DNA sequence: GTCTATAAGATGATAGAC
DNA sequence: GTCTATCATCTTATAGAC
């Protein structure tokens, strides 16, 4: 009887139909909200309460799932890092396999950027928020350098190795400095601060990935060549 | 009489000799400490108490001088913005006056960067902290774009106008996007996150301005040319 | 799993003495 | 100007009911 009653409360699917999905929903909802807030205000600009309210759960649930606020932040940062870096690694491997000895600076950079720009354009607000967070973390002196190193170094070394094939004369120093310039350009673009919108008085838009993509590749490739070839 | 008295109050060094200098010292000490802390942890990562303790004053004194925490932050940000932007404007004016119709992309960018890189190299820790703060603010989505616009737009428009002289065929869009890439490269370099040190395993150093300067100018100029000339 | 209730301490800001 | 003392609020985190 009580079973029949409780079955009538949530009928659509019988048994324990949405138990798992509800669990996942709560966890994911917390991550989504935290991602959005952290990307705009940084780690210290967000409170656990604020995340809990926006995700329609209690603060205790956040600690139940993630332990501490810091661990929540790490979970946010890691969730998409693993996905995007696997995609970038695969894109560069595929490019290298297809071109072998004929790799170009432009081709290597395009393979490195393509998964990011695609997710930025078509991945929805979650991915946009995530990339804004990466941009903010990358510029944070206190712990940004360490966090970025932990999650992003392997994919960057793959890019540098690829470009070194295209520019065999290049010194290690020139390659690292050039990458640092590319990294700055990329993460500022990902941060989507609305800076270029205001500066250009509405002519350009931070979120216009189709305008960004070809210019970013051209700019970075020309920069790499000039610095590394010295011409 | 009271005039004579008050005249004698701050003569060479008698009377209350260090009254003025002590006043100024306290205010400047607060600004210096706040600058260092804000640049590393962001606005929300710093407490008024923390600044007060490190500056060896009480929290009440900070509110006495600056009003609120937000106004303290604004005072930190503005203090050096006015100095550095006047220097950059003067450097670009001088370059334009000296070269007239013969301005180059490299020359314009060098004039734009020179005062910043000089202060970064020789201005002491205060200037280094300040530039790290600018780098962090520039990547902050919530209020970074607005703050940067308020303080830095005029000097940037001067640079873009100069480069437009060197590249008369360039479209406005290409110029703005290229500047955005330059801005990202610059502010990440200014942030001195130690990122490149770790990435290069000690080969390159975030604070090596002599290594940074020629590479940054070459990279940015080549990028501008490629994007704006389409070749 | 999800909640209520609450501990234990930090925070921005002010009043008022000197 | 600079301090001490303090307020009202907010913070992260936990205990324990359901």
């Amino acid at each position: 009887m009580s079973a029949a009653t409780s079955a009538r409360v949530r009928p659509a699917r019988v048994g324990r139909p949405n138990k798992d999905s509800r669990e996942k929903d709560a966890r994911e909802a917390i991550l989504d909200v935290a991602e959005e807030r952290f990307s705009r205000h940084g780690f210290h600009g967000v409170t656990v309460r604020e995340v809990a309210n926006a995700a329609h759960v209690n603060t205790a649930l956040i600690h139940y799932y993630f332990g501490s606020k810091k661990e929540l932040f790490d979970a946010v940062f890691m969730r998409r890092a693993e996905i995007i870096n696997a995609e970038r690694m695969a894109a560069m491997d595929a490019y290298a396999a297809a071109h072998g000895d004929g790799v170009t600076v432009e081709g290597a950079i395009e393979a490195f950027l393509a998964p990011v720009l695609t997710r930025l354009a078509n991945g929805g607000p979650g991915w946009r928020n995530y990339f804004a967070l990466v941009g903010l973390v990358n510029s944070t002196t206190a712990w940004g350098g360490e966090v970025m190193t932990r999650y992003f170094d392997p994919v960057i070394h793959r890019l540098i190795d690829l470009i070194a094939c295209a520019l065999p004369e290049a010194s290690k120093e020139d390659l690292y400095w050039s990458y640092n310039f590319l990294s700055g350009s990329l993460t500022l673009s990902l941060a989507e601060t609305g800076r270029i919108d205001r500066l250009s008085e509405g002519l350009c838009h931070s979120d216009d990935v189709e305008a960004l993509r070809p210019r970013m590749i051209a700019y970075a490739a020309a920069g790499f060549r000039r610095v590394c070839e010295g011409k």
Side-chain angles (χ1 to χ4, degrees), chain A:
Chain A
M1 257 224 247
S2 67
T5 308
S6 95
R8 254 198 38 186
V9 170
R10 32 177 116 169
R13 288 160 239 241
V14 223
R16 297 189 296 192
N18 49 3
K19 180 89 188 301
D20 281 0
S21 69
R22 262 185 60 89
E23 277 174 29
K24 196 186 168 197
D25 282 355
R27 227 190 98 100
E28 293 288 308
I30 293 168
L31 285 172
D32 289 343
V33 168
E35 183 171 65
E36 191 253 344
R37 295 296 206 275
F38 283 139
S39 75
R40 275 161 185 68
H41 308 283
F43 178 79
H44 295 106
V46 179
T47 69
V48 177
R49 261 180 171 70
E50 186 186 335
V51 174
N53 292 342
H56 305 108
V57 298
N58 192 275
T59 68
L61 197 63
I62 292 182
H63 288 103
Y64 170 77
Y65 275 122
F66 302 100
S68 67
K69 180 184 174 183
K70 179 62 165 56
E71 288 170 295
L72 168 63
F73 182 89
D74 288 342
V76 167
F77 202 83
M78 183 165 44
R79 177 172 59 156
R80 299 192 203 267
E82 294 174 340
I83 298 170
I84 195 67
N85 283 337
E87 290 179 357
R88 298 168 95 183
M89 204 62 97
M92 286 188 285
D93 286 348
Y95 175 76
H99 293 78
D101 43 351
V103 297
T104 65
V105 183
E106 283 78 1
I109 292 176
E110 177 150 34
F112 177 77
L113 293 178
V116 174
L117 297 179
T118 299
R119 293 280 189 187
L120 185 65
N122 310 321
W127 278 98
R128 276 209 304 283
N129 293 334
Y130 177 72
F131 288 129
L133 178 62
V134 172
L136 181 57
V137 168
N138 198 38
S139 295
T140 301
T141 309
W143 35 278
E146 189 263 323
V147 171
M148 290 296 294
T149 294
R150 181 145 34 99
Y151 289 103
F152 287 91
D153 267 16
V155 69
I156 293 163
H157 279 121
R158 186 80 181 89
L159 170 69
I160 290 178
D161 288 348
L162 261 185
I163 295 183
C165 293
L167 301 174
E169 312 283 285
S171 74
K172 280 284 177 195
E173 287 93 332
D174 286 338
L175 286 168
Y176 282 122
W177 278 108
S178 295
Y179 170 76
N180 212 45
F181 301 145
L182 165 58
S183 174
S185 299
L186 176 61
T187 55
L188 180 61
S189 300
L190 296 180
E192 293 193 355
T193 59
R195 181 94 186 82
I196 196 176
D197 308 56
R198 266 181 280 253
L199 184 66
S200 69
E201 290 173 325
L203 190 63
C204 305
H205 301 284
S206 292
D207 59 357
D208 185 352
V209 182
E210 291 319 304
L212 168 67
R213 183 194 300 260
R215 292 181 173 92
M216 174 102 122
I217 294 169
Y219 185 98
F224 258 97
R225 285 188 194 283
R226 175 77 145 274
V227 168
C228 297
E229 293 182 327
K231 61 170 190 189

